[in-house]
Amino acid sequence: MGDVVIILPFLLPIAGAAVGMLLRRWHRLRAGWSLVVLALACAVTATVFWQVAQSGQARTFQMGGWPSPFGITIVADALSVTMALMSQVVFVFGFVYALGAKDKAVHYETFHPLFLMLAAGLTGGMLTGDIFNLFVMIELVVISGTVLTAISDDRFGTEAAYKYFLISLIASFTLLFGIGSLYVSYGTLNMADLAQRISANPEQPLLPIALILLSITFMIKSAAVPFHFWQPDFHTASPTPVSAMLSSVVVKLGVYGFMRLTTLLAPSATWIKDLLIVTGIVGVIFGGLGALGTHNVKRMFAYSTLAQVGFIYIGVGWGTSLSLAAAVLFTINHAIIKSAMLMLSGYLASRAPVKTASFSVVRGVGRYAPLSGVLFFLGGMALAGLPPSNGFISKWALFWSGVVAATSGAIQDRWTYWLPLGLVGISSVITLVYVFRALMRIWWEPFEPPSPEEKVKPRGDSLLAPAGLVTLCVLLGLLGQPLTDWTQRVSEWMTQPGKYVQAVLQAEETHRRNFSVQP
Amino acid sequence: MDILRAAAIAALFGIGVYQLLRRNVIRVVIGLNIISNAVNLFLLSTGAYDGVAEAYASAIGQRSDALPQALILTAIVISMGGFAFTLSMLYVISSRYRTADNDEVKGLTH
């Protein structure tokens, strides 16, 4: 069986959502209950994280007590538990923002249960060790994310949700096709078992097709460039607490999938890494230019997510120990920064005369909200990668891993490091330009409403959550050493997939020893 | 039988993609539904890997791999919920935009 504790990070939110549905008449009670459940799940995840970090051993749980390759395995190894903790922490902040938000959507009866389901699906997708269970968890994320957007205050919420849902259904079908292809080739759905069988017999004819289908799915999930068309719409139209979650941690599910795909399932398929580098570069450039050309703060940050996910793709694509550590670090830091920035844009929209984050409306609104300006400035520095912020550390780690790989690798491969490095440098400058253009427009220029009766609203959403996240950014920038060391250890785990496989299959042996029927 | 099944999957997939690319929103959803059936049929046929009998084996003593059938059940349930939700979204969209044309649903253009 193993540890029951490690299924609690996603079991608690699911149970909490079920109870939350029963409490739909009592808004305050439901909100308080959901916060308690989410905080409890976060605490449990932190406990599991601490134990995994202390012992250096992966922990597994077999659902229903079925032995390892047959039942659904839940695995908490260094990578998955780090990702799960990141998601839970950001979700707690997002929920705190939702409690203080003025949107009508957050007072909707099913908002809190759906928010919990989003957290559950995301954490479950990261902790699961079974590829079909991953599909189920992805569906949970998709459906709850879509419903949360469809109930948005934005009148185009339903349209954005429709676009997203359509492409997500297609992604689900490609994922199912990939799962079927893997199953027919290798006869297992367990990721550890699959990794072992793929490395033993990589010549199966359906394997490349399955990998292509899985790559397409993960690219749609993380909104990588050829499949990104839904993303700016979707992240602009959803309610602020939700879009802060979608654009920061939910896109990381696809990134996590690629981390598993390139290090565990098919480390020998180098073409996936090449694909990641190419799409990463295109994403970095395209996202930066897209963010420059927008007229809406939220949409600007949605495009910026495209660019930042591109950075992570490049790190995963290089695949050296250092660059994987940098990619994990980048993933964590980007989740914190981007959720803070989207919450701040949502705050501005809630202060603006008309509730929208478009530049023509929020221009000059910042003059009445100086605190949010300070937070936006610090967060913008982190996003652009200026010291002293965590964004600087993650960008520097990525650059440094590329430089180390370029100076130590083979001569003919060096351009695969230098070319991305150059483009990434240019893109960082673009980030700086659009973040500070937004800062100038909102906090520097005077507020000139089209008619004199339009005034800045005296109160907006609560600034507690973005303030907490920005503080976390600065703290991680000043005292980032433990996190950086930890990501090094995560990348050590990732470069030794045998450790993951052993942890899951050892659980099977222990299980047989404990539960075998004596004749 | 294998060829027939492969042809059925291919035909369903082709029809589904064709409908998916039409402009009418209802046709798009029907296309998705057909593709989901193609995927389910594909999953059903994966149950016959490695010498085990197919899912429609009828002779006594043969057994088929039951796991893909469980997968199909899960996929059917999930896609049923998904389609119900898509149709309800389409109801809102068609009443709000006064159109059933995919290209006319373009509020978010900037």
Side-chain angles (χ1 to χ4, degrees), chain A residues 70 132 135-136 139 143 146-147 150 154-163 165-166 169-170 172-174 176-181 183-189 197 206 232-234 236-237 294-296 299 358, chain B residues 9 13 20 24-26 28-29 32-33 35-36 38-40 42-43 45-50 65 67-68 70-72 74-75 78-79 81-83 85-86 89-90 92-93 96-97 102 105-110:
Chain A
F70 307 113
F132 190 77
F135 162 76
V136 175
E139 283 302 295
I143 293 179
T146 316
V147 181
D154 195 313
R155 60 200 174 92
F156 299 121
T158 317
E159 181 193 331
Y162 171 64
K163 285 177 182 169
F165 202 62
L166 223 52
L169 279 177
I170 295 169
S172 311
F173 297 147
T174 55
L176 269 180
F177 245 95
I179 289 170
S181 309
Y183 185 69
V184 77
S185 307
Y186 296 102
T188 181
L189 292 170
R197 293 192 192 195
L206 273 178
D233 284 354
F234 188 59
T236 312
T294 52
H295 304 286
N296 185 311
R299 183 172 278 258
S358 99
Chain B
I9 296 170
F13 217 88
L20 185 68
N24 190 312
V25 286
I26 305 293
V28 170
V29 177
L32 277 173
N33 212 333
I35 293 180
S36 96
V39 173
N40 289 342
F42 173 72
L43 283 180
S45 61
T46 61
Y49 83 100
D50 215 16
D65 189 359
L67 188 76
L71 302 190
I72 294 166
T74 317
I78 290 175
S79 56
F83 289 123
F85 180 57
T86 320
M89 269 198 294
L90 285 184
V92 175
I93 284 175
R96 194 173 290 171
Y97 293 79
N102 247 334
V105 185
K106 49 178 183 185
L108 287 155
T109 44
H110 56 277

Side-chain angles (χ1 to χ4, degrees), chain A residues 118-413:
Chain A
L118 194 63
L122 191 61
T123 325
M126 284 161 174
L127 285 176
T128 186
D130 181 280
I131 199 158
F132 190 77
N133 202 29
L134 180 67
F135 162 76
V136 175
M137 292 300 179
I138 284 179
E139 283 302 295
L140 206 58
V141 168
V142 165
I143 293 179
S144 43
T146 316
V147 181
L148 282 170
T149 306
I151 61 173
S152 169
D153 288 12
D154 195 313
R155 60 200 174 92
F156 299 121
T158 317
E159 181 193 331
Y162 171 64
K163 285 177 182 169
Y164 171 64
F165 202 62
L166 223 52
I167 195 150
S168 291
L169 279 177
I170 295 169
S172 311
F173 297 147
T174 55
L175 180 58
L176 269 180
F177 245 95
I179 289 170
S181 309
L182 282 178
Y183 185 69
V184 77
S185 307
Y186 296 102
T188 181
L189 292 170
N190 188 297
M191 268 153 56
D193 201 17
L194 209 53
Q196 218 174 25
R197 293 192 192 195
I198 288 176
S199 63
N201 179 16
E203 298 301 318
Q204 285 281 355
L206 273 178
L207 178 65
I209 296 170
L211 292 180
I212 290 170
L213 291 166
L214 288 181
S215 301
I216 291 176
T217 313
F218 293 142
M219 280 162 108
I220 294 178
K221 288 297 143 209
S222 56
V225 149
F227 305 104
H228 69 282
F229 299 101
W230 55 272
Q231 191 252 23
D233 284 354
F234 188 59
H235 292 175
T236 312
S238 54
T240 308
V242 181
S243 79
M245 296 305 102
L246 292 172
S247 208
S248 62
V249 285
V250 174
V251 291
K252 300 293 159 51
L253 193 53
V255 172
Y256 169 76
F258 269 121
M259 285 175 180
R260 281 277 183 246
L261 202 58
T262 53
T263 61
L264 177 68
L265 284 181
S268 53
T270 45
W271 59 266
I272 300 182
K273 296 179 184 170
D274 298 342
L275 179 81
L276 282 175
I277 294 176
V278 172
T279 45
I281 293 171
V282 178
V284 164
I285 300 296
F286 189 87
L289 293 179
L292 270 182
T294 52
H295 304 286
N296 185 311
V297 191
K298 270 172 106 174
R299 183 172 278 258
M300 186 181 90
F301 287 124
Y303 270 111
S304 149
T305 299
L306 217 63
Q308 306 281 322
V309 168
F311 281 115
I312 303 170
Y313 268 27
I314 292 171
V316 178
W318 283 338
T320 63
S321 170
L322 269 180
S323 71
L324 282 174
V328 175
L329 189 63
F330 210 113
T331 309
I332 298 167
N333 286 342
H334 171 251
I336 298 169
I337 301 165
K338 187 51 63 66
S339 49
M341 294 310 267
L342 273 163
M343 286 171 190
L344 286 171
S345 6
Y347 169 77
L348 283 170
S350 72
R351 288 291 295 274
V354 190
K355 192 174 165 54
T356 166
S358 99
F359 276 129
S360 57
V361 176
V362 294
R363 186 168 166 266
V365 166
R367 296 200 148 204
Y368 300 88
L371 175 61
S372 66
V374 175
L375 295 176
F376 197 93
F377 180 73
L378 290 172
M381 273 171 49
L383 193 64
L386 297 178
S389 63
N390 58 351
F392 170 71
I393 294 179
S394 49
K395 230 166 228 178
W396 178 253
L398 193 67
F399 271 68
W400 185 244
S401 72
V403 170
V404 167
T407 47
S408 64
I411 299 284
Q412 68 270 22
D413 289 342

